[in-house]
Amino acid sequence: MTTTTTDERALADLQREHGPALLHFLLGLTFGDRQRAEDLLQETLVRAWQHPEAFDSAYDSMRPWLFTVARRLAIDARRSRQARPTEVCDAVLETTAAGDDTAEATVSALDVRDAVRALSPEHRAVLVQMYFRGLTVDETARALGIPAGTVKSRSYYALRQLSRNLPGYSSRSSSRSRASRETASAAST
């Protein structure tokens, strides 16, 4: 089976006459991505080469046909990129933080929960309001019906007791402590 293709000279004339305008059009469709725009321009010219019947149309110019083909190719390329997952190179993987160790976080949460349960009910109530629910000293005082000075005192002594009940946790990073507090909050409520 033989296939007919466009004359190379006609194709070169086509590119010379319409190439810059087509590239500008494709740059707009690819949001300024020059490499993609050039690839789409090349694919558009390949389609023109594969379809010599387009040169025999009743129109004076090939520009409308070229722009239609280019627009459809750009749409197809965009849909194709959106349909598959984003490719990740080694550089991205090297800079991405490793996932948290859920077993360690679970053990920490259990330790914190036990330490909070060991506090007196008054101290526990202040910590729950201030650290787990995020209330200020004044808001905690109103919620518990006690003076603000008492809230400060109870929180100070409660935190001291927790640091004694949780040896080895004071040197941990604040993000792990925050995660433990959030986990313990969910468990204590």
Side-chain angles (χ1 to χ4, degrees):
M1 178 170 123
T2 61
T3 59
T4 59
T5 57
T6 306
D7 177 38
E8 289 179 27
R9 191 173 321 130
L11 193 59
D13 292 340
L14 187 72
Q15 185 195 12
R16 194 171 22 264
E17 183 178 345
H18 303 292
L22 194 55
L23 179 62
H24 182 72
F25 174 69
L26 288 168
L27 280 170
L29 292 178
T30 59
F31 304 104
D33 187 343
R34 187 167 191 84
Q35 183 177 1
R36 278 205 179 109
E38 288 174 352
D39 287 346
L40 290 169
L41 173 64
Q42 182 177 4
E43 183 62 30
T44 302
L45 293 174
V46 167
R47 298 287 171 95
W49 176 70
Q50 291 173 336
H51 296 280
E53 68 275 5
F55 286 86
D56 299 332
S57 69
Y59 300 108
D60 292 338
S61 175
M62 283 286 296
R63 190 170 284 208
W65 185 88
L66 289 170
F67 275 66
T68 300
V69 169
R71 184 177 59 82
R72 289 178 180 166
L73 287 171
I75 290 169
D76 289 347
R78 183 167 174 81
R79 286 178 181 161
S80 176
R81 278 192 312 278
Q82 289 176 340
R84 66 177 179 252
T86 305
E87 296 175 7
V88 179
C89 64
D90 291 339
V92 172
L93 292 175
E94 290 171 1
T95 59
T96 303
D100 291 336
D101 183 7
T102 57
E104 183 178 335
T106 303
V107 169
S108 297
L110 291 172
D111 289 346
V112 170
R113 183 184 307 162
D114 289 341
V116 170
R117 282 189 185 142
L119 295 174
S120 70
E122 295 83 14
H123 288 136
R124 186 176 338 126
V126 168
L127 287 186
V128 166
Q129 296 297 322
M130 290 182 67
Y131 291 97
F132 299 135
R133 293 197 177 130
L135 298 181
T136 64
V137 170
D138 291 333
E139 292 169 338
T140 301
R142 279 193 299 275
L144 298 176
I146 57 176
T150 304
V151 170
K152 291 178 187 178
S153 174
R154 287 182 183 174
S155 68
Y156 172 78
Y157 287 111
L159 291 175
R160 260 180 82 184
Q161 184 63 38
L162 280 180
S163 69
R164 283 193 296 265
N165 291 348
L166 295 169
Y169 282 96
S170 61
S171 63
R172 304 257 174 149
S173 69
S174 62
S175 64
R176 284 190 181 165
S177 298
R178 187 177 337 113
S180 297
R181 283 195 315 261
E182 290 170 358
T183 306
S185 169
S188 68
T189 55

